[in-house]
Amino acid sequence: MTIAMHNLLLLLCCSHLTISVIAFQPSLPSRHITSRERPKIVIIGGGWAGYTVAESLSTNNLHSDQVEILLLDASKSGGGLAGGYREGKRPVEAGIHGFWREYKNTFAVMDGIEGVNINEVLSDYTPSVLYSKNGKVAVAPVLLNEDKVDTLFTVPLKEERIRRLIAEKLPPPLDLPILAKLDTQSSNLQPLDVLSGLGLLGAWADFEQESPASWKAYDEQPASLLFEKAGITDNLYQELVSPLLHVLPMCPAYDCSAAAALSCFHVFALQSKGAFDVRWCRGSIGELIFHPWKHQLEGRGVQFKNGARVACISSNDDEEVSLSGETPSKYSYAIQLDDNSRILCDAVVIAIGAVAAGKLAGTSPALSSLPATENFDKLRGVTCIAVRLFLKPDTIISDNLQGGFYSKTQLPPDVAKSMTDSPIAVCGAGIGGISELKETGFCIYDLQRMHDEFSVEYYNANSVELEDQVAVLEVDFYRADSFVDMSDAQIVGLTLKAVSEALGTKIINTEDVVESKVLRARNAVSHFAPKSALYSPGAKVANSIYMAGDWIDRTGHASWSTEKSVVTARQAAYSLSVDFGLDRSSCTVIPAAADTPQLSALRKSAKMLRSIAPPKTLPPSPWVLAKQLLSGEK
């Protein structure tokens, strides 16, 4: 958060280089390359972080022959875990990824990709529907209405307009319950339950998003203690908090750090009006974003090696190399790939997931001895499964559906009706009492209403034959360890059952599944368990070794997921540019949203209370504190 700006990334301008100082990471001694004009940089990892590092370093430097860049991507198609690929004519992805309103750095990077028009690649901001194990909870609308209603003298004065007028006068998070449309038929939520959520305001104000001290204090505690101290009701937890935990940080409260829960909710929902608003890619992220991005980078001279898995990083013991007219100089590192080939380089940027980084550190002498990596073996990952179902199109085309980029679908009519308000259903754990889903959240996507190539409109405009048309459901499961070892057929069966239980519809017949794709990502997504932030390194871990990703430097910028990957990539590129004298890199980091005046006032109160009576664990809500005092609890 930007409380006093000293915990933010400081924006500097040096010569032609727009750079951002890496907060809270003391600079290690730099080692300028003076004997070789073109230092060779190897980036390991081809997702958002790896591509952003390449983008930052190559924007101006390659044309001036200042640097050589090689990007190693374990995936064959490019784009890492987020990219996806095609099998025959069917596109598949390892999960659908959204772009939240506060992904300002991500949008800025996308805006700089030639051939990518954000408004053509992404949908409008889209509502979603939340489900708990008890049924439909609420419709989460698009919170920031671009067409503001400034007067009550509008005829007819509809409920939606009144809600928005009231919400516009309230700061986050008080505007959320005004705009959210609770389902009174299936949800057990009562007004008192919603009000109990205000108990989290104390901790939210006390926890400073970009403060190492706050992260240390809150990260050591599980989120379950946070909610207990807040005094939120069981109904609010079961109906709203738990489902969001299972699809955002992707873990239950006992296995999620309190810092991660507060930070996640802040970034995705509370830091600004409309923070929960999200846009979705209108097709494969790999094809619409990463492919043109790779083409742009290659045009600058960035080299790519796909299907390249790194086995080991070690200090280079080769003899010095002599370059014509230069003092002999030596590459610093040797990178060994799985095929036993070796790559020599001056610097390494590691832009892979936490578990993969831990494994690499265990086999790499250049990493294993570093203080920053000594606890990498304690880092854990979340297992995710993405299931894409290509279905026979129903003879009835459901129309006038809300929320999606397209309004028609050929899904079975009962499924279409249940998803009238949005093509996205966000489902918490324990749906339908299915044992495999006890701790597994998931999202259901109607891709006919989200992706151009599956839309009914596309089929009609291009005269696609009926036998070539499909309705497409994507179901992404988070924390899916309990069934990751099932066969594809078993997982498809479980998926159909999960959709039926969540939406309250008939189970789709397996005979109507034309084709299915099941992608498993074992321990691949960052797991923000208690104390995990203690093991997260900064963007620079040693001389000429840098790291980027959504699990890096939690304190340096209030962001998550894709946005955090982009931010830390910019930070890593900045450090590398300073160390190697690359004065033309583009490493600007857009600061996270500033505190609202109301949150600033709350923070001042929280600081004063903490200075008078520091809480031993986490600050309780006023009513929990009163209960403790009356009962004599300490």
Side-chain angles (χ1 to χ4, degrees):
M1 225 27 201
T2 55
I3 298 166
M5 299 302 287
H6 64 282
N7 286 341
L8 263 181
L9 305 171
L10 304 175
L11 298 181
L12 302 177
C13 184
C14 293
S15 181
H16 299 288
L17 169 61
T18 305
I19 56 178
S20 37
V21 173
I22 302 173
F24 316 122
Q25 297 300 326
S27 179
L28 297 172
S30 63
R31 182 185 61 80
H32 267 306
I33 298 294
T34 56
S35 61
R36 187 185 303 116
E37 289 184 0
R38 297 185 71 213
K40 183 175 181 178
I41 314 300
V42 172
I43 302 167
I44 302 173
W48 284 97
Y51 270 60
T52 300
V53 172
E55 175 72 25
S56 298
L57 297 178
S58 69
T59 300
N60 300 302
N61 292 317
L62 287 183
H63 288 311
S64 58
D65 245 16
Q66 285 197 358
V67 65
E68 181 181 355
I69 301 172
L70 171 63
L71 190 149
L72 305 176
D73 189 348
S75 72
K76 294 182 179 181
S77 57
L81 187 64
Y85 57 93
R86 281 185 185 262
E87 284 190 356
K89 62 182 179 180
R90 306 290 192 203
V92 291
E93 297 172 84
I96 303 296
H97 300 264
F99 298 83
W100 273 256
R101 193 180 290 274
E102 287 297 331
Y103 278 19
K104 293 177 180 176
N105 290 278
T106 306
F107 290 134
V109 166
M110 290 173 60
D111 198 44
I113 303 172
E114 187 176 347
V116 173
N117 182 322
I118 291 178
N119 292 325
E120 293 178 359
V121 168
L122 301 183
S123 70
D124 301 327
Y125 288 102
T126 303
S128 57
V129 181
L130 183 66
Y131 291 82
S132 75
K133 62 184 179 182
N134 297 316
K136 184 177 178 181
V137 178
V139 177
V142 176
L143 297 174
L144 185 59
N145 190 351
E146 303 294 348
D147 300 319
K148 290 186 178 180
V149 181
D150 296 320
T151 176
L152 282 170
F153 301 102
T154 303
V155 181
L157 189 61
K158 296 183 179 179
E159 178 187 351
E160 176 68 16
R161 290 180 178 270
I162 296 174
R163 283 174 176 264
R164 290 198 175 275
L165 280 167
I166 296 172
E168 283 175 12
K169 309 301 180 185
L170 297 173
L174 301 182
D175 56 341
L176 292 177
I178 301 296
L179 291 175
K181 300 175 183 177
L182 298 178
D183 191 292
T184 56
Q185 293 185 340
S186 59
S187 173
N188 295 321
L189 279 179
Q190 302 298 320
L192 186 62
D193 298 317
V194 177
L195 286 174
S196 75
L198 295 176
L200 286 167
L201 284 179
W204 183 41
D206 184 57
F207 175 71
E208 299 180 34
Q209 299 290 324
E210 296 175 356
S211 161
S214 278
W215 267 94
K216 186 177 186 301
Y218 279 79
D219 193 61
E220 292 180 347
Q221 310 295 333
S224 53
L225 179 63
L226 170 70
F227 302 131
E228 178 186 333
K229 289 281 188 178
I232 66 174
T233 64
D234 288 342
N235 268 350
L236 183 65
Y237 178 78
Q238 295 294 340
E239 295 292 285
L240 190 62
V241 175
S242 178
L244 289 175
L245 279 178
H246 280 89
V247 298
L248 292 175
M250 301 183 187
C251 50
Y254 76 86
D255 205 18
C256 178
S257 97
L262 282 171
S263 179
C264 190
F265 287 163
H266 173 84
V267 168
F268 283 120
L270 306 175
Q271 66 176 320
S272 65
K273 280 187 177 294
F276 193 63
D277 296 344
V278 61
R279 305 177 76 174
W280 304 91
C281 194
R282 288 166 53 183
S284 163
I285 285 179
E287 294 177 352
L288 296 184
I289 298 174
F290 279 97
H291 286 187
W293 199 358
K294 182 179 180 182
H295 180 73
Q296 173 171 292
L297 293 172
E298 287 176 328
R300 296 175 181 168
V302 175
Q303 303 169 59
F304 286 82
K305 187 175 178 63
N306 290 103
R309 294 187 177 275
V310 176
C312 173
I313 303 172
S314 58
S315 297
N316 177 36
D317 295 325
D318 286 354
E319 294 298 321
E320 293 183 345
V321 295
S322 179
L323 302 177
S324 177
E326 299 176 358
T327 303
S329 63
K330 182 178 179 180
Y331 288 108
S332 299
Y333 298 106
I335 298 174
Q336 182 178 328
L337 303 183
D338 275 356
D339 61 6
N340 290 322
S341 62
R342 293 173 78 241
I343 299 170
L344 301 180
C345 62
D346 295 296
V348 182
V349 183
I350 300 169
I352 55 181
V355 173
K359 290 179 180 178
L360 182 58
T363 63
S364 300
L367 300 178
S368 59
S369 60
L370 300 176
T373 67
E374 63 183 351
N375 289 308
F376 272 19
D377 60 323
K378 298 175 183 176
L379 291 166
R380 297 158 55 194
V382 176
T383 293
C384 298
I385 298 176
V387 182
R388 185 163 292 187
L389 303 174
F390 301 93
L391 307 172
K392 291 179 183 178
D394 199 273
T395 55
I396 298 175
I397 296 178
S398 300
D399 199 355
N400 298 318
L401 304 175
Q402 305 299 309
F405 195 80
Y406 298 100
S407 63
K408 299 177 182 179
T409 188
Q410 293 163 295
L411 288 174
D414 61 336
V415 176
K417 183 178 179 180
S418 69
M419 300 182 74
T420 296
D421 296 312
S422 171
I424 300 134
V426 179
C427 306
I431 294 288
I434 300 171
S435 59
E436 291 87 353
L437 303 182
K438 183 179 179 181
E439 290 193 344
T440 303
F442 58 98
C443 287
I444 306 169
Y445 303 94
D446 177 359
L447 294 190
Q448 273 203 297
R449 293 159 63 190
M450 298 173 67
H451 286 191
D452 296 342
E453 69 176 292
F454 300 132
S455 67
V456 174
E457 288 81 353
Y458 175 85
Y459 291 157
N460 291 338
N462 292 275
S463 301
V464 177
E465 297 293 336
L466 183 61
E467 57 266 25
D468 293 326
Q469 297 180 21
V470 286
V472 187
L473 268 184
E474 168 100 10
V475 184
D476 296 338
F477 295 97
Y478 318 114
R479 198 176 171 98
D481 307 81
S482 63
F483 57 96
V484 68
D485 292 323
M486 284 183 175
S487 68
D488 286 3
Q490 289 174 318
I491 290 177
V492 167
L494 177 65
T495 300
L496 295 174
K497 185 177 181 182
V499 170
S500 171
E501 292 290 347
L503 302 181
T505 57
K506 294 183 294 185
I507 295 181
I508 297 171
N509 196 316
T510 54
E511 294 180 357
D512 290 330
V513 179
V514 175
E515 191 175 353
S516 61
K517 301 293 181 183
V518 177
L519 299 185
R520 299 168 177 81
R522 299 174 189 267
N523 302 314
V525 178
S526 301
H527 182 187
F528 301 100
K531 300 184 179 180
S532 60
L534 298 176
Y535 318 136
S536 294
K540 179 176 179 179
V541 297
N543 284 334
S544 307
I545 300 180
Y546 313 86
M547 288 194 170
D550 70 347
W551 57 285
I552 303 297
D553 187 19
R554 312 268 188 91
T555 64
H557 187 279
S559 50
W560 269 71
S561 193
T562 299
E563 177 74 352
K564 190 67 166 179
S565 293
V566 170
V567 167
T568 55
R570 294 278 193 172
Q571 292 173 336
Y574 163 74
S575 283
L576 189 153
S577 296
V578 170
D579 290 349
F580 286 85
L582 304 177
D583 59 2
R584 297 172 63 86
S585 299
S586 178
C587 306
T588 303
V589 173
I590 301 170
D595 287 347
T596 62
Q598 295 85 354
L599 179 55
S600 292
L602 282 173
R603 288 208 193 283
K604 291 178 182 178
S605 300
K607 282 184 178 180
M608 182 177 67
L609 289 172
R610 180 171 278 278
S611 66
I612 297 171
K616 292 181 180 179
T617 54
L618 302 178
S621 68
W623 44 88
V624 172
L625 178 60
K627 180 182 177 182
Q628 290 174 344
L629 293 174
L630 290 173
S631 63
E633 296 179 30
K634 295 184 179 179

